[in-house]
Amino acid sequence: MDGWTDPRAAMGTLPQYPHAHQDELVSAAGRGMAPVAAAVLGDGLVSVDADRTDGRQFFVLTDSRGGTATVWVDAVPLVRGTLADTATNTTSQHYVIRVSDRLPTRMLHRVLARELGELMAVRERAAEGLAPVREDSLREGTELPSEQALSVADRGRVGELNWLAARSSAPDVSPEQQAQARAEFSALLDPYGMRPTAAMSDEEAFRAQERAARARYRVAFGSLSTEAVGLLDTLAHPIEALPPADATALRAARDAAVRAERQVEAFIGRREITMPMPGYDQNGLPLPRDQLEPAAERWAQYREQVSERTVGALEGQLAAGQFPLRKVVIGGGASLTGRDPEALLVDAAGRWHLDPGNGIVQSADQDRDLAQWMGVDPYAAVEDPRHRVSIHAVRVWEDQLATQGDVVNGRARLRLGLGGELLAEIRPSGPDGQESDTPLWVACDGTPSIATGLTPDAVPGMPRGATGVESRSEAVRLIGDRLRELEGQAVPGARELRAWLTLAERGGADARTVLGALESSALKDALMDGLDEETGARMDNCFTALDSTGKWETAREAAPGRALLGDEVAENRFDPRAAQHWIIAGSGGTGVANAEIILRENPDAYVTIIGNAPPDALRHQVQYPEMLERYTTGENPRLTIGRTEVGAVETYQHENGETWFQADYVIEATGERRTARAGGYVCSLGRTNPLPPALQVLADEVRDRGGEISGDLQFDRDDQYIGYGLTFAVDGREHRVDVDGAASWQLPREIFAPKTGVQAALNEMGQRGLPSETGNAAPGFSPIARQSALRARAVAEAAAGDPDAVRRLPTVPERWQRPDLTRPSTVASTAPAPAPVAMAAAAPTAVTPAVETETETETAAAPGTQADTPAEPTAQPTAQPTPEPTAQPAPEASAQHAPEASAGRGAPAAPAPGISGSHLWQMGVHRGGAGRPNAPDRQEQQPPPPGHEPPEPGVGLDD
């Protein structure tokens, strides 16, 4: 999911179109994908079939080997400077191209050409199980990578060149458009290192560049179209050797690029955040796969050392009568990508540190953008790019990020101080996981951040739907709100019953006690009287929720260790051999992951998963298809999947005297009805939406003092979701707390009421940004790494004085609402001929290019580079022709490449009027160094991080 950028986009000056422009872009993709695919893939493409479903555009590409790939295209808000990105799913052969909804329509097909070139490169390499090519070849300069092969990014660049070459001679476009494509093609040869730019008078520099250019040409030749080879033979020469029209266009492009670079340099660099690079050794090389497990152990030991030193320093300050004032972050996981090294991190090292599974459920291909957002190389952690990323790699990454600053292994919750200040109550935990009885207290400096991961599991039998109630805590809260209304109406006993309910909930009374008190209360009928139908149904569901919770509590008491919540399995807080047959209630991703853990940890176990039909997203992941193949087939299948509506837990007395569980279900394929009976039961029915645990006591304290709590969604300036914020207003003061990570996708219902529709809008946004075909989901590991990195950048920009860096909104921006694509598609199925250009002209049903409506000053073409991505080797051509050496000197070229796209505002220099190609500063002017990232900087106040040997004790925080 790497994006590629353009300097003008980086400076925030791409046109801002109305929401309807998204529909225009998707429609243009429908009209143009066939000729684009033909130009990029040549005779390797047999056909392109296009259609729409659920308001989405997709294409099925068939190659000459009979394989197919489904490509989905959408136009959505993207990060500043990013014109497009692509999610590559080599597990199910679905690929999702997302173009920026601010992309001018006339740029679209060139952008699609580049993305299509990349995704096909990923697909081909994965099919062979090959490791990616780590360094790009098509970059300016004389240094060539050791591996003479095209990377994924290079293949995208070649796709771009092939498309421009096809356009430069296509008979169905105007002469002006042909000249434009030729000029754009020529401008790319400089940043792609395929033309020497040094003056021939500087013979040493010129000859070195010429040799490098010819080497790149040989590497790329096998992927270039006939038209592209012809243009290269004509244009890959110094400017003085070019035909006059080509020389004029190139000179204008270079001059404009220099002016634009100066403008860009004035604005970038000040807001960028240096991200640490975990998972690398002291030499900057990715840790070998066979060293990941011992490396994870060493980093866990090192993290414990850092935690002990941090705790010692805090205890020392408190003992000296000094109250620590610190930035506070509670929680870790993938959100550690945004880790502020100056903040005190309190994290129990949960989820991925405890998960006994094989790893995250996505492959290295599906999570390849971790290189961009987390600074890690997922391909280094797998033997095959289609394999799941190792759990040991995840632990190494997280511990390296956590120890970039002070960290306490443990848990924390926010509290109000006696003077109304915001405090963090921290309970450290030792290597055995036991929390300290004596808390540490820290005053919060600024806005604390909470990233405590997925919210709690729902128990079986919770009422669903519009009037649903998801937990006992929500039921008690709603009943308490109703009692407050009755109290206002002077109903006797309402105040006393509400006070009792509050104490019972905070004191941990079981649901049966709460339900019994309500059922026997004289106010039970009054709770329902006078309510409208919807409110009355919800109040009735509160009692259902309490009853279901009571049954679940009874089952857990009767079958200790055998009635479990999904998180207890995921965090390895159970004995997989406590039962030989397990029922898992819930057929979603969590239920499947729990089944895999039980089946792996207990080779004698049998598992029955019951619930609704498994979500479509599962078949696009690596885990689920592998499980079906491994455990549902053969002579002794150990996994059964059945359909049913899961209600409250059902128990019975087994003949051995134990409490067992049962559930009726249907085998969908045959319609056969069965009853599962098992000694173990795991509830994995989805998540509840409460306040994060770290905030629940604070919320009680604020409300007890008569305060109020409000919330808002947070977006950066690019409409990227970066979490939600809460405001605790009490005693004339306001405390802000931000929630990041997976928890931020489950809005607390007591703040964001279901009737507002905010949660539904957030879910729709997440699904649109990451469709199920990607094999990922918004709260997943890699997407959270991205979200938290963007959040860190936005927070830093806000701290630097940018008022628009973090935008607090009541709901999701309109740009994330799916446009109306209900009108019939104009796309036809095509069967292109081998020659790309001929296909576009000759096939009677060929898709025609999109209408180019943008003006010259509105247009920006695609840049000549993109962020470093893992890539694949390309077969060398049998013949390797090279351009003829030039004999004429070339003038010394000025710098014509912009730094990495970043934050910044300002108007770039305008193109020179009337000069063809003078707008070409807008593309191909990107500078970015290939190669491996540096090892993380060491914090002097911490002990030295581990290398390949166990860490030695280092300098303490107080030394």
Side-chain angles (χ1 to χ4, degrees):
M1 285 185 284
D2 244 336
W4 55 296
T5 58
D6 168 76
R8 184 173 68 167
M11 298 172 66
T13 55
L14 275 179
Q16 295 195 24
Y17 294 99
H19 185 236
H21 185 62
Q22 296 181 3
D23 186 10
E24 180 182 339
L25 285 169
V26 175
S27 297
R31 296 191 299 271
M33 179 59 84
V36 169
V40 173
L41 304 178
D43 55 9
L45 177 71
V46 173
S47 65
V48 179
D49 296 300
D51 203 349
R52 286 182 176 178
T53 182
D54 299 327
R56 299 189 296 153
Q57 179 74 68
F58 70 94
F59 309 87
V60 179
L61 278 60
T62 304
D63 61 30
S64 56
R65 298 180 180 179
T68 62
T70 302
V71 180
W72 301 80
V73 178
D74 199 0
V76 298
L78 294 180
V79 176
R80 75 193 71 171
T82 300
L83 302 182
D85 68 13
T86 297
T88 56
N89 189 341
T90 53
T91 297
S92 63
Q93 293 301 318
H94 283 257
Y95 303 83
V96 180
I97 297 177
R98 292 158 296 200
V99 299
S100 171
D101 63 352
R102 291 181 175 175
L103 184 74
T105 306
R106 64 166 296 155
M107 291 176 59
L108 174 67
H109 294 156
R110 180 174 169 183
V111 168
L112 289 179
R114 178 144 176 175
E115 297 301 301
L116 196 60
E118 285 203 9
L119 70 87
M120 287 301 171
V122 172
R123 179 173 178 262
E124 292 167 11
R125 185 254 307 139
E128 300 296 328
L130 298 175
V133 177
R134 297 188 182 280
E135 296 180 291
D136 297 340
S137 293
L138 302 186
R139 286 186 181 272
E140 60 187 329
T142 57
E143 184 178 353
L144 295 171
S146 57
E147 187 173 1
Q148 295 294 294
L150 295 180
S151 69
V152 165
D154 289 334
R155 288 284 298 275
R157 296 175 182 119
V158 170
E160 189 181 4
L161 291 173
N162 287 346
W163 168 248
L164 291 173
R167 291 279 291 174
S168 71
S169 59
D172 59 340
V173 300
S174 68
E176 292 79 10
Q177 291 171 329
Q178 290 178 347
Q180 180 72 19
R182 182 184 178 99
E184 293 175 1
F185 183 102
S186 179
L188 289 179
L189 302 185
D190 286 357
Y192 290 178
M194 302 183 78
R195 172 197 287 131
T197 57
M200 285 194 67
S201 57
D202 185 354
E203 184 173 351
E204 182 179 356
F206 178 82
R207 293 304 177 192
Q209 288 186 9
E210 186 178 48
R211 286 193 297 270
R214 294 163 72 179
R216 292 187 180 96
Y217 181 81
R218 288 193 295 269
V219 173
F221 178 77
S223 300
L224 291 166
S225 67
T226 303
E227 291 78 8
V229 169
L231 272 186
L232 273 166
D233 289 342
T234 302
L235 298 175
H237 303 287
I239 193 168
E240 290 188 1
L242 294 177
D246 294 318
T248 299
L250 180 58
R251 188 175 295 110
R254 288 178 172 178
D255 291 345
V258 172
R259 295 195 300 271
E261 181 181 8
R262 292 169 184 161
Q263 294 270 343
V264 172
E265 286 177 341
F267 292 98
I268 70 173
R270 294 179 298 190
R271 301 182 188 175
E272 285 299 291
I273 295 174
T274 301
M275 301 302 297
M277 300 295 181
Y280 293 81
D281 63 18
Q282 290 87 343
N283 299 315
L285 300 175
L287 294 173
R289 286 191 302 276
D290 60 358
Q291 296 181 21
L292 286 173
E293 186 170 2
E297 295 176 359
R298 291 194 300 270
W299 276 99
Q301 296 169 9
Y302 175 63
R303 175 171 171 154
E304 185 63 33
Q305 289 184 20
V306 176
S307 176
E308 290 174 356
R309 285 160 173 73
T310 304
V311 169
L314 295 174
E315 288 175 338
Q317 286 183 273
L318 291 167
Q322 301 172 1
F323 207 84
L325 177 66
R326 298 295 303 270
K327 296 179 182 178
V328 174
V329 174
I330 303 174
S335 66
L336 289 170
T337 53
R339 200 254 198 261
D340 181 354
E342 297 180 0
L344 171 64
L345 171 67
V346 184
D347 177 32
R351 189 61 180 101
W352 298 115
H353 285 76
L354 303 174
D355 193 319
N358 295 330
I360 57 180
V361 299
Q362 287 80 29
S363 68
D365 277 338
Q366 292 170 331
D367 277 345
R368 67 189 184 116
D369 64 330
L370 281 170
Q372 180 178 2
W373 300 110
M374 201 176 215
V376 303
D377 183 2
Y379 291 102
V382 296
E383 182 178 352
D384 187 295
R386 296 164 293 186
H387 291 175
R388 294 161 62 181
V389 176
S390 162
I391 197 72
H392 303 299
V394 173
R395 292 169 182 167
V396 169
W397 300 340
E398 290 188 0
D399 284 345
Q400 284 187 290
L401 288 168
T403 53
Q404 292 291 310
D406 293 344
V407 60
V408 174
N409 289 342
R411 302 185 187 277
R413 58 184 182 180
L414 299 183
R415 304 285 302 273
L416 285 178
L418 295 177
E421 63 272 44
L422 193 59
L423 306 178
E425 179 188 15
I426 303 170
R427 293 191 180 271
S429 58
D432 59 357
Q434 294 298 313
E435 292 185 0
S436 171
D437 294 331
T438 304
L440 301 172
W441 292 91
V442 172
C444 297
D445 182 14
T447 301
S449 177
I450 310 295
T452 46
L454 295 170
T455 53
D457 292 292
V459 305
M462 288 295 112
R464 305 298 179 92
T467 60
V469 178
E470 63 176 18
S471 65
R472 63 164 282 173
S473 61
E474 183 178 24
V476 170
R477 177 175 58 82
L478 293 174
I479 293 173
D481 291 344
R482 176 58 177 158
L483 287 171
R484 183 181 287 108
E485 294 177 2
L486 296 177
E487 180 183 345
Q489 299 168 15
V491 174
R495 179 179 181 181
E496 291 76 12
L497 183 56
R498 184 168 66 86
W500 182 88
L501 269 180
T502 300
L503 290 175
E505 184 68 11
R506 295 183 186 178
D510 59 76
R512 293 159 295 183
T513 299
V514 173
L515 181 61
L518 291 170
E519 291 281 6
S520 61
S521 170
L523 293 176
K524 182 180 180 182
D525 292 339
L527 289 172
M528 304 294 297
D529 290 344
L531 299 179
D532 59 45
E533 182 178 355
E534 180 178 340
T535 308
R538 182 172 290 108
M539 185 58 57
D540 188 58
N541 281 335
C542 290
F543 285 85
T544 303
L546 290 171
D547 180 60
S548 295
T549 305
K551 291 177 180 178
W552 177 247
E553 292 171 350
T554 300
R556 284 172 68 87
E557 291 174 2
R562 294 185 286 112
L564 305 169
L565 293 171
D567 284 342
E568 293 175 287
V569 175
E571 295 175 2
N572 206 20
R573 292 184 280 124
F574 84 116
D575 178 5
R577 296 183 179 274
Q580 296 304 98
H581 187 182
W582 294 81
I583 294 172
I584 293 185
S587 54
T590 302
V592 167
N594 294 155
E596 180 189 53
I597 291 171
I598 292 173
L599 291 167
R600 195 188 77 161
E601 297 297 307
N602 182 355
D604 299 321
Y606 292 82
V607 172
T608 301
I609 299 177
I610 59 171
N612 295 323
D616 186 57
L618 288 181
R619 70 183 179 90
H620 296 290
Q621 296 177 351
V622 182
Q623 180 187 48
Y624 187 62
E626 286 182 349
M627 279 186 60
L628 294 181
E629 182 178 357
R630 181 174 182 180
Y631 295 116
T632 64
T633 60
E635 296 181 358
N636 185 28
R638 298 169 55 206
L639 174 64
T640 302
I641 300 176
R643 294 279 300 274
T644 189
E645 290 291 334
V646 179
V649 64
E650 295 183 36
T651 62
Y652 71 98
Q653 205 70 18
H654 191 265
E655 58 187 16
N656 64 8
E658 294 181 341
T659 296
W660 276 38
F661 307 90
Q662 64 182 16
D664 296 329
Y665 65 95
V666 175
I667 299 295
E668 186 174 21
T670 63
E672 178 187 356
R673 296 182 178 276
R674 295 183 183 178
T675 298
R677 293 182 174 87
Y681 187 103
V682 180
C683 180
S684 303
L685 288 168
R687 301 288 170 176
T688 57
N689 292 44
L691 283 166
L695 297 177
Q696 289 174 354
V697 173
L698 174 63
D700 291 339
E701 293 174 339
V702 167
R703 291 185 174 119
D704 289 345
R705 297 189 189 188
E708 295 182 349
I709 309 172
S710 58
D712 48 54
L713 304 186
Q714 295 181 342
F715 293 84
D716 66 10
R717 64 169 62 256
D718 304 311
D719 287 329
Q720 304 299 301
Y721 181 62
I722 55 175
Y724 68 82
L726 298 173
T727 300
F728 297 84
V730 61
D731 298 335
R733 303 177 65 170
E734 287 189 349
H735 298 295
R736 290 280 308 181
V737 178
D738 292 341
V739 179
D740 183 23
S744 68
W745 288 88
Q746 299 290 125
L747 304 178
R749 287 159 69 107
E750 60 188 279
I751 310 298
F752 301 88
K755 64 182 180 182
T756 64
V758 179
Q759 180 69 69
L762 188 66
N763 293 344
E764 292 172 3
M765 181 190 73
Q767 176 63 23
R768 187 177 181 199
L770 280 170
S772 61
E773 290 81 11
T774 65
N776 240 310
F781 186 85
S782 180
I784 289 302
R786 174 186 182 274
Q787 173 183 309
S788 298
L790 292 177
R791 180 183 180 278
R793 182 171 72 176
V795 169
E797 292 172 355
D802 187 342
D804 300 321
V806 177
R807 300 162 57 230
R808 297 182 173 91
L809 305 177
T811 190
V812 173
E814 181 187 8
R815 290 172 67 194
W816 279 107
Q817 298 175 13
R818 192 175 296 280
D820 182 12
L821 301 180
T822 55
R823 67 169 183 265
S825 173
T826 59
V827 196
S829 174
T830 63
V837 177
M839 186 286 297
T845 58
V847 179
T848 58
V851 178
E852 300 186 358
T853 58
E854 318 300 342
T855 63
E856 184 75 7
T857 57
E858 289 178 329
T859 306
T865 182
Q866 86 174 34
D868 296 336
T869 59
E872 61 136 16
T874 302
Q876 294 290 337
T878 54
Q880 299 177 344
T882 59
E884 291 295 326
T886 56
Q888 300 185 27
E892 187 170 340
S894 302
Q896 52 189 293
H897 22 258
E900 294 288 347
S902 68
R905 289 176 290 180
I915 300 179
S916 175
S918 65
H919 71 293
L920 294 183
W921 63 269
Q922 299 163 350
M923 83 280 301
V925 296
H926 187 91
R927 183 199 299 273
R932 303 179 181 90
N934 296 324
D937 294 333
R938 297 182 179 183
Q939 303 294 314
E940 292 185 0
Q941 73 271 26
Q942 306 291 11
H948 295 291
E949 300 297 329
E952 298 293 335
V955 178
L957 293 174
D958 294 329
D959 296 327

